[in-house]
Amino acid sequence: MGRYLVFIAAFLVNALSVNAQTGSIKGHAIDGSRQAPVEFASVTLYTSGDTSLVQGTLTDTSGYFEIANVKSGVYIITVTSIEYQKVFRGPIQVDAEHAVADLGNVTMTTDQKLLSEVVVKGARPLVEQKPNGIVVNLENSILSKGRSGTELLGVVPLVNVGMSGGISVRGKTNVLVLIDNKPYYGETLTMMLSNMKSEDVVKIEVNTNPSAKYDAAASGGVINIITRKATQNGFTGQFDGRVSQGERLRWSPRLNLGYRYDKFSMFVNLGYSYYDGKNNQHLTNLYRSDNQLFKNDGIHNYKRNTVPVSAGVSYNLNKANTVGFTFDNTHDKRTDNIGETAEFFLVNEASPLLNGTVSKTLGESKNHLYNYSGYYEGKYSKSSLNFIGTFSKYNSSSLSDIFYYDFDANRARLEDSDTRINTANGADIKLLVSQLDYNYDISDKTSLEVGVKGMYTRSDNSIDQFQIQNGVEAPIENPFARSGYEETILAGYLAFSQEIGKIKLNGGIRAEQTKSDVQHVGKRDFLNFFPSFLIHSKPSDNYQWALSFSRKINRPAFSILIPFVAYSGKYAIRQGNPALTPQYNNNLEFTQTFKQLNVILGYTHVKNAMFDIPKINDETKVTTFLYQNMDSQDQYSISLVFPFHPLKQVNSSVTLYGGYTVLNDAGLNQNVAFNNAAWSGYGQMINTISLPNHWKGEVLFYYQTPRLEGIDRLKSTSSLDFGIGRQIFNQHGNIKLSVSDVFRQRRWRGTSHYGNVNMTVNNFYDTRRVQLSFSYNFGKQTVKKIKEKSMGNEDQRGRMY
């Protein structure tokens, strides 16, 4: 025992002596004219004698830098940054008596010659062109201040975010969204985007035609949101919050904490979101069979409370190997209050009222999502290996009560018409995923990628309904009240890239085998192959082109396969469709870039296109909504993205999109053939403005022409937004005031004419809002974030909701 104590004591003495022989050098880089921090300046340490390079670092957003573990000796440092003259400091003594050398403020002077060259040549544009898409640079841009992730995507060229939160790229849905290369889908994506901090976003990459490496479900494209990263040890944190007022109040505070020491790092993120919404709804339908006009007017009030919590740790085994664990938990609660009046009129010159119904719907839902993920990452001289294992669990429960009564032509309440429909829904879904990816660089111009993936999903669902009429309660018979499914997907891909002169070739193929057993539907077993290729050439600095092709799939959500029947009112029913089959997309694109002008020509052929399509019973006047397959859809498109500087202080980007869509089906509804075609397009202009006293402004305009979605012909929509903000608290904080949808033109208006469907819809949302946002950074701002890994379950999680 004594020998062990002596050994431990000797070890501690040796450790202390080693620590005593090392020190650190720190300081702040400051702009001498503005007395503002110089962010991300390069700080390099040299020995004083032979000026040998020792080590280096970068300043953080407050201009702070620190070089640790410096051995005893005499040194000099240089501080450099584009736009500034190089600064030398030294000699700097580090020894037992001078363990910490604090240089204080290191004042930097603007280099006017360099600055002029930077403005002309070196300034990073808002939008950069890539062979298969674009990159939007948002670091230090006012566009990334005070927005949620969803709102931030709405200002990105080529990307459109619908009123319900649906995301499309160049008019195509089923977009794969990644945050630091980690994908999210479905309700998980909605929660992540609504609670993420836009202030941390450095850039957003938009891939319009992704390769076989990505999940086959990414038929609409891939969006990768890149957040800020750094490498210093220490503690960091950020608090930010938003409050907005339209017709209703909304607010959301967030707190993010991180710590890193040597090989160990961890993070904890806490958030809360309160969302108070209101929609005004108006729907009409003409029944030609009996010359009646149906009018339905309603107001939908809803409140949503979301609490996201995430945490993670990682450990670097050595320079080449890293292991880690992450945990995500999101709790979401929503309440709904819908009041509606449905009226029937006889269509003639007088249009007399025939009868109608007054209804009220009260609903409450609770959702819990858990993700547990462990990963390994290995990087070697010419190869890399990544493994991820994830277990996900989703629980959902909801209750709804529909109360309604009928009235006659004199608007008198009819006796014995009081009815209540009570519905209880439950879902318990479990998902297990494992994924392995390997990359090998055969040479500087040749690389090979292979990967395998396995996914297992199990779900148990329930729906219980009761009808209470005149005090008498009776269950609503439903043979699908209990349902469930199991599914296994095995996937593998092979990708190859080769450079031949100025030509770059990328090719790959992905195979996915799906086995499913859905109760009340049956078993399915199918194998699909998804090839892709990309040819890219850059003949000159001012011109490049690319030709790409990919085949993708869109699997239906499990919930809409089960043939349940759920009432959302006396005249509206939601029903599952067990006959629904996957949708397949074949995408072909040709991209050309002339200096800053990016032009994309695209063609997409869709087989078994899925759309939400209503069916109407002429006798009962009940409309049943269900997803159905259409035979084919063809989309022809052209888009132009052009960033420019109309004035020295203004950075602008214009996006124009035009498309022609053709839909065909031999007998979609009641064996009536459907053929429809329409032109559509949109224009977007983004302007960021540098104002006096370090204020920044933004002016955003968006216009969408009439368009075709399934059997719906939607009318035009537009939006005009303004914002102004600046950094405060010595660059540690940011404040912004903005106004969105000034003229309240972001609304959903459309018509559907097919068979006996002659419907007109006009919905208004609470989109004209005034918002104040604030953020504050504390601790070191260069702490490295834990590495975000793909959980591998993203394409399946999107089908869980």
Side-chain angles (χ1 to χ4, degrees):
M1 182 67 179
R3 286 184 298 173
Y4 290 116
L5 292 176
V6 172
F7 174 78
I8 294 173
F11 175 80
L12 292 175
V13 170
N14 181 66
L16 291 173
S17 64
V18 170
N19 287 334
Q21 295 173 8
T22 62
S24 63
I25 302 173
K26 62 181 181 179
H28 281 83
I30 300 296
D31 185 311
S33 60
R34 299 188 295 116
Q35 292 301 303
V38 179
E39 301 180 5
F40 310 115
S42 297
V43 182
T44 308
L45 181 67
Y46 301 91
T47 57
S48 179
D50 57 5
T51 64
S52 299
L53 175 64
V54 179
Q55 58 176 303
T57 186
L58 296 175
T59 62
D60 62 19
T61 54
S62 67
Y64 177 80
F65 66 87
E66 181 176 0
I67 301 176
N69 299 319
V70 180
K71 295 181 180 180
S72 296
V74 181
Y75 301 91
I76 60 173
I77 68 164
T78 63
V79 183
T80 59
S81 178
I82 197 167
E83 304 179 13
Y84 295 93
Q85 297 178 5
K86 181 182 288 189
V87 175
F88 293 85
R89 283 293 183 92
I92 304 168
Q93 182 72 41
V94 176
D95 52 31
E97 296 181 1
H98 305 88
V100 178
D102 190 347
L103 305 182
N105 290 341
V106 178
T107 303
M108 304 191 71
T109 304
T110 302
D111 190 323
Q112 296 299 327
K113 180 180 179 181
L114 265 179
L115 181 60
S116 62
E117 293 179 356
V118 167
V119 171
V120 175
K121 301 179 181 178
R124 175 167 289 182
L126 177 66
V127 179
E128 290 184 276
Q129 318 297 339
K130 298 297 180 182
N132 54 355
I134 61 171
V135 176
V136 183
N137 298 300
L138 293 165
E139 190 172 18
N140 300 321
S141 171
I142 188 175
L143 294 175
S144 64
K145 309 301 181 184
R147 285 185 164 89
S148 68
T150 306
E151 294 164 341
L152 187 61
L153 289 180
V155 303
V156 173
L158 301 179
V159 179
N160 185 29
V161 179
M163 297 305 304
S164 60
I167 301 170
S168 62
V169 172
R170 300 188 69 250
K172 296 185 293 184
T173 56
N174 305 314
V175 176
L176 174 64
V177 178
L178 304 91
I179 302 174
D180 290 329
N181 299 303
K182 177 181 177 180
Y184 293 89
Y185 273 85
E187 191 67 21
T188 307
L189 173 63
T190 301
M191 293 177 182
M192 287 295 297
L193 290 179
S194 63
N195 287 283
M196 75 175 297
K197 300 183 292 111
S198 62
E199 285 81 2
D200 270 352
V201 176
V202 175
K203 62 182 179 179
I204 296 179
E205 302 170 342
V206 181
N207 186 337
T208 59
N209 199 11
S211 69
K213 176 182 178 179
Y214 296 96
D215 287 324
S219 58
V222 174
I223 298 174
N224 193 13
I225 303 173
I226 306 298
T227 60
R228 193 187 310 272
K229 294 179 176 63
T231 57
Q232 291 289 340
N233 289 331
F235 169 78
T236 187
Q238 184 182 67
F239 171 81
D240 66 274
R242 302 185 302 150
V243 59
S244 70
Q245 181 68 56
E247 292 188 53
R248 303 292 172 82
L249 179 69
R250 300 169 189 170
W251 53 282
S252 58
R254 289 180 288 254
L255 177 64
N256 296 336
L257 303 173
Y259 178 77
R260 182 175 186 268
Y261 179 75
D262 198 16
K263 297 181 179 181
F264 172 81
S265 63
M266 64 177 295
F267 74 89
V268 177
N269 298 331
L270 307 172
Y272 176 77
S273 176
Y274 174 79
Y275 191 100
D276 194 348
K278 177 184 177 182
N279 301 339
N280 295 318
Q281 304 169 340
H282 177 73
L283 180 147
T284 66
N285 191 74
L286 175 63
Y287 301 94
R288 293 195 178 98
S289 59
D290 51 12
N291 206 34
Q292 288 188 25
L293 180 66
F294 173 77
K295 289 185 178 181
N296 190 93
D297 291 284
I299 297 178
H300 184 185
N301 299 291
Y302 57 96
K303 295 182 180 180
R304 188 170 187 174
N305 297 271
T306 305
V307 181
V309 178
S310 61
V313 296
S314 70
Y315 184 77
N316 296 328
L317 301 173
N318 50 47
K319 291 183 179 181
N321 299 275
T322 302
V323 295
F325 175 81
T326 61
F327 166 73
D328 298 295
N329 172 28
T330 301
H331 172 72
D332 181 73
K333 181 179 179 181
R334 172 169 171 154
T335 58
D336 295 89
N337 188 327
I338 307 172
E340 295 179 283
T341 300
E343 300 172 310
F344 291 89
F345 296 86
L346 183 63
V347 181
N348 56 28
E349 293 182 0
S351 296
L353 174 67
L354 298 176
N355 53 65
T357 301
V358 172
S359 65
K360 185 175 184 178
T361 302
L362 301 177
E364 179 179 289
S365 63
K366 297 179 180 180
N367 305 289
H368 288 85
L369 176 69
Y370 302 89
N371 284 311
Y372 307 87
S373 180
Y375 66 87
Y376 163 80
E377 180 185 74
K379 292 185 177 180
Y380 312 101
S381 59
K382 291 186 177 183
S383 62
S384 64
L385 180 67
N386 296 278
F387 173 80
I388 186 78
T390 299
F391 174 72
S392 301
K393 184 177 180 180
Y394 175 74
N395 300 109
S396 174
S397 62
S398 63
L399 298 172
S400 69
D401 280 307
I402 303 172
F403 305 86
Y404 67 83
Y405 67 85
D406 299 326
F407 57 83
D408 59 20
N410 298 316
R411 297 187 182 276
R413 187 169 184 163
L414 297 180
E415 295 183 3
D416 300 330
S417 66
D418 288 10
T419 304
R420 174 186 175 188
I421 298 177
N422 176 270
T423 303
N425 283 292
D428 184 5
I429 304 175
K430 298 178 179 65
L431 176 62
L432 183 63
V433 177
S434 61
Q435 179 175 332
L436 183 69
D437 297 281
Y438 178 74
N439 176 275
Y440 180 71
D441 294 328
I442 300 173
S443 67
D444 293 340
K445 297 184 178 182
T446 308
S447 65
L448 178 70
E449 286 184 89
V450 295
V452 293
K453 186 174 183 179
M455 296 167 283
Y456 173 76
T457 308
R458 179 182 176 85
S459 174
D460 295 294
N461 309 280
S462 64
I463 178 170
D464 295 301
Q465 293 178 309
F466 295 87
Q467 178 174 292
I468 304 172
Q469 195 165 22
N470 299 318
V472 179
E473 179 178 315
I476 298 177
E477 296 298 330
N478 188 345
F480 314 110
R482 299 294 180 269
S483 61
Y485 55 80
E486 287 185 278
E487 183 179 72
T488 301
I489 298 178
L490 299 177
Y493 74 89
L494 173 66
F496 182 82
S497 65
Q498 176 70 54
E499 290 187 33
I500 304 174
K502 295 184 177 181
I503 301 292
K504 295 182 180 180
L505 304 175
N506 296 84
I509 189 166
R510 185 180 187 91
E512 293 190 354
Q513 183 175 34
T514 303
K515 292 184 178 181
S516 65
D517 186 0
V518 182
Q519 191 174 354
H520 310 296
V521 176
K523 296 183 178 181
R524 294 181 178 179
D525 186 350
F526 54 92
L527 173 66
N528 292 132
F529 293 91
F530 303 95
S532 70
F533 73 80
L534 169 70
I535 304 174
H536 172 239
S537 177
K538 191 174 182 181
S540 67
D541 292 338
N542 295 324
Y543 176 71
Q544 59 179 310
W545 62 267
L547 178 66
S548 61
F549 169 82
S550 69
R551 184 173 188 257
K552 299 294 182 180
I553 189 174
N554 179 22
R555 299 183 183 91
F558 296 116
S559 59
I560 64 177
L561 284 174
I562 301 170
F564 62 87
V565 175
Y567 295 85
S568 56
K570 182 177 180 180
Y571 299 103
I573 292 176
R574 166 63 61 184
Q575 182 176 323
N577 182 6
L580 203 61
T581 60
Q583 168 184 307
Y584 295 91
N585 291 26
N586 293 293
N587 307 298
L588 182 66
E589 287 188 357
F590 181 65
T591 304
Q592 294 188 87
T593 302
F594 306 89
K595 294 186 177 180
Q596 294 297 312
L597 175 63
N598 177 266
V599 182
I600 302 177
L601 300 173
Y603 168 71
T604 299
H605 175 73
V606 182
K607 182 181 178 181
N608 302 329
M610 291 187 296
F611 292 102
D612 194 7
I613 298 174
K615 298 173 66 175
I616 297 178
N617 188 311
D618 280 328
E619 294 183 4
T620 63
K621 304 298 188 291
V622 173
T623 301
T624 300
F625 295 89
L626 75 164
Y627 278 86
Q628 299 182 66
N629 291 113
M630 302 186 73
D631 288 342
S632 65
Q633 174 180 262
D634 292 283
Q635 293 176 299
Y636 307 85
S637 63
I638 180 173
S639 61
L640 295 87
V641 180
F642 181 58
F644 65 102
H645 293 273
L647 298 172
K648 183 178 180 181
Q649 298 83 7
V650 180
N651 196 351
S652 302
S653 175
V654 171
T655 302
L656 299 175
Y657 169 85
Y660 183 68
T661 302
V662 181
L663 280 170
N664 294 287
D665 194 275
L668 179 65
N669 189 3
Q670 299 176 355
N671 295 320
V672 178
F674 179 85
N675 301 97
N676 213 342
W679 290 94
S680 65
Y682 66 81
Q684 179 190 53
M685 187 171 186
I686 304 172
N687 304 280
T688 59
I689 309 167
S690 298
L691 301 172
N693 298 320
H694 309 298
W695 286 90
K696 295 181 179 180
E698 64 180 21
V699 180
L700 312 173
F701 176 73
Y702 178 85
Y703 175 76
Q704 169 78 63
T705 69
R707 61 196 186 279
L708 181 66
E709 290 186 7
I711 68 169
D712 300 324
R713 285 185 173 271
L714 304 182
K715 296 185 177 181
S716 63
T717 183
S718 62
S719 178
L720 179 64
D721 304 340
F722 297 95
I724 186 171
R726 63 161 296 171
Q727 290 183 318
I728 56 177
F729 297 142
N730 195 28
Q731 317 299 316
H732 284 276
N734 190 86
I735 190 170
K736 178 182 175 182
L737 180 67
S738 60
V739 182
S740 61
D741 197 12
V742 176
F743 300 108
R744 201 187 181 192
Q745 292 299 303
R746 291 191 64 197
R747 46 186 176 172
W748 202 97
R749 302 177 300 163
T751 60
S752 302
H753 299 290
Y754 175 67
N756 63 347
V757 178
N758 299 281
M759 193 176 295
T760 301
V761 180
N762 194 348
N763 293 343
F764 286 84
Y765 303 86
D766 188 10
T767 55
R768 181 166 56 196
R769 308 187 62 81
V770 178
Q771 176 176 284
L772 180 66
S773 61
F774 167 80
S775 65
Y776 181 76
N777 300 306
F778 54 92
K780 288 187 178 181
Q781 299 311 304
T782 56
V783 174
K784 186 177 183 179
K785 296 182 179 179
I786 189 168
K787 296 181 180 180
E788 298 287 359
K789 302 299 174 188
S790 167
M791 293 184 178
N793 63 351
E794 295 75 27
D795 58 335
Q796 292 306 101
R797 279 158 46 194
R799 302 169 65 203
M800 292 162 63
Y801 310 102

